[in-house]
């Protein structure tokens, strides 16, 4: 049997989606199959090799699938759209893994739906492979994320700003596709019954403990807040910039979702922005925790009626909840940075130690990943780390303080905390350019490297270095 489907969203949430078949791709071809993920999900790999091209492109649907496009709203760059929804995605169903865990299987780029508005419902090979390689990197880094089970080219040519490009569909796995924007959709329409139904469904699927709380809506909010705070703290640890933290791109499961114009920073720059459309820097690297707070406020707003029937009291309770975000984030972030600096336990001056390192990194525009990765060696020798800094004296002083704070045996811990390999922007671009022209080998090599982020540098130096200076400033475009 290929998939063990049990489609609870389609079955239990009538009115939350529209049934819609994916487009039939004219000439499907499997571009990538995530065999490790397939094995984890208990799927038959030979069968996926044979049918993946058809299934992942939407040319045919596997038995038991019940394709639907989900309704949602969302704040995009701060402005509210009451109706977004899956405009180019089809949820095929929910697959139950060998341990009984439930996973959405969704196609993206699989054709128009009633939510498409002006879009063509399609996706290009480049952006779909981009989602594949970056989400695999995130998974290997231990950061919660949706994952790509496979990518298929459709055999169609689609039109994009840069001209005609080959079309592709990605098949992705997610704990669910419930977004802040899903709640906002029903809140904006004043559909209180549906909102309550969505609350119950979300709690049942992701946070069953919240059902027992005095105010389940608040307990759900708190559980989502904790997952998101931890997620964004992890992003900040690896230098990840999501690029479009709209409320429709925030999954309540706490997974990184909707890889579009995202990128990893090379040199450390808090204001780093890559997306061509983010002109105000709303989603800049260091602004991500701020936007998280903003999005969580929109989430609380959408549930006010379920927090308390008395509006004033509901607002009071929501505000009290919102007041907890900052300290939860500060704590999560500091714990991530303690891990990255190899610090065990908690000491008063840890924040200072971390902040001083970040200031030195920012002042001297050093590479985020290489600097942190060099810490493991810097436990016993100076030069690898110091060589990254043009002015070495301030860094020497910092090293003395840091070593005094380090517990013994920090080296191994540091190696496991700081990757040598992240998907470097210039390598991602090179791999996608080649793949668009039909050569998958640079992509496959890059994919293999990002799947082993914590391995040694030796023998793969080219994957560990930042972009050469002639690569220029990096600009990303929305993944349409
Ligand atoms: P995203 O920026 O990918 O999160 O998408 C935001 C919204 O635009 C969602 O409602 C998508 O379904 C829709 N969308 C993005 N690209 C397309 C496209 N090519 N065709 C139709 N809808 C799209
Ligand atoms: Mg989206």
């Amino acid at each position: 049997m290929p998939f063990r489907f049990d489609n609870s969203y389609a079955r239990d949430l009538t009115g939350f989606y529209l049934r819609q078949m994916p487009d039939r791709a004219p000439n499907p071809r499997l571009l990538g199959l995530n065999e490790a993920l397939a094995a984890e999900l208990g799927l038959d790999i030979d069968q996926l090799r044979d049918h993946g091209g058809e299934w992942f492109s939407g040319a045919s649907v596997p038995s038991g699938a019940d394709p639907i496009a989900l309704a949602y709203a969302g704040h995009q760059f701060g402005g509210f759209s009451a109706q977004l929804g899956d405009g180019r995605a089809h949820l095929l169903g929910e697959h139950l893994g060998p341990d009984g865990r439930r996973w959405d299987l969704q196609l993206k780029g699989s054709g128009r739906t009633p939510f498409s508005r002006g879009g063509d419902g399609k996706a290009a090979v480049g952006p779909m492979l981009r989602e594949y390689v970056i989400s695999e990197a995130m998974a290997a880094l231990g950061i919660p994320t949706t994952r790509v089970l496979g990518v298929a080219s459709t055999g169609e040519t689609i039109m994009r700003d840069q001209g005609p490009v080959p079309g592709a569909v990605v098949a992705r796995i997610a704990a669910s596709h419930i977004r802040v924007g899903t709640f906002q959709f029903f809140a904006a329409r004043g559909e209180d019954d549906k909102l309550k139904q969505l609350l119950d469904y979300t709690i049942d699927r992701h946070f069953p403990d919240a059902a027992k709380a005095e105010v389940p809506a608040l307990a759900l909010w708190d559980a989502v807040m904790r997952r998101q705070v931890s997620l964004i703290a992890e992003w900040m640890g690896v230098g990840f910039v999501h690029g479009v933290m709209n409320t429709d791109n925030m999954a309540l499961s706490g997974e990184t979702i909707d890889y579009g114009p995202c990128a990893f920073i090379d040199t450390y720059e808090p204001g780093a922005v890559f997306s061509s459309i983010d002109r105000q820097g709303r989603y800049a690297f260091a602004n991500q925790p701020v936007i998280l707070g903003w999005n969580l406020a929109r989430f609380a707003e959408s549930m006010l009626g379920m927090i308390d029937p008395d509006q004033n009291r509901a607002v009071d309770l929501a505000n009290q909840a919102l007041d907890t975000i900052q300290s939860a984030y500060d704590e999560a972030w500091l714990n991530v940075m303690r891990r990255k600096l190899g610090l065990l336990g908690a000491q008063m001056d840890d924040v200072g130690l971390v902040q001083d390192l970040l200031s030195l990194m920012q002042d001297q525009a050093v590479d985020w990943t290489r600097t942190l990765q060099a810490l493991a060696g810097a436990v016993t020798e100076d030069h690898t780390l110091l060589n990254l800094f043009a002015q070495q004296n301030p860094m020497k002083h910092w090293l003395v303080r840091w070593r005094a704070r380090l517990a013994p045996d920090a080296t191994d811990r540091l190696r496991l905390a700081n990757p040598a390999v992240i998907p470097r922007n210039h390598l991602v671009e090179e791999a996608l350019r080649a793949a668009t022209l039909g050569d998958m080998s640079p992509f496959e090599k890059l994919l293999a490297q990002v799947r082993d982020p914590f391995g040694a540098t030796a023998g793969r130096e080219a994957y560990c270095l930042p972009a050469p200076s002639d690569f220029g400033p990096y600009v990303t475009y929305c993944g349409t």
Side-chain angles (χ1 to χ4, degrees), residues 319-333:
N319 279 331
Q320 281 170 32
L322 295 177
D323 283 343
T324 63
I325 301 172
Q326 186 70 49
S327 59
Y329 175 76
D330 289 346
E331 190 186 335
W333 177 80

Side-chain angles (χ1 to χ4, degrees), residues 421-422 424 426-427 446 449 457 459-467:
V421 173
I422 52 157
R424 295 280 183 179
H426 63 296
L427 299 176
L446 178 63
Q449 295 300 335
T457 306
R460 54 171 183 166
E461 287 78 3
Y463 290 92
C464 304
L465 294 174

Side-chain angles (χ1 to χ4, degrees), residues 52-105:
E54 286 164 39
W55 288 342
F56 300 156
S57 68
S60 71
V61 294
S63 78
D66 183 4
I68 57 177
L70 309 192
Y72 54 84
H75 277 92
Q76 301 184 301
F77 289 90
F80 187 63
S81 290
Q83 183 165 312
L84 293 168
D86 289 333
R88 54 166 175 166
H90 297 79
L91 177 64
L92 292 184
E94 297 150 37
H95 167 72
L96 300 179
D99 54 2
R101 282 178 73 183
R102 181 178 295 276
W103 298 103
D104 275 10
L105 174 63

Side-chain angles (χ1 to χ4, degrees), residues 72 179 248-249 258:
Y72 54 84
R179 306 153 188 269
D248 52 301
N249 290 337
D258 280 0

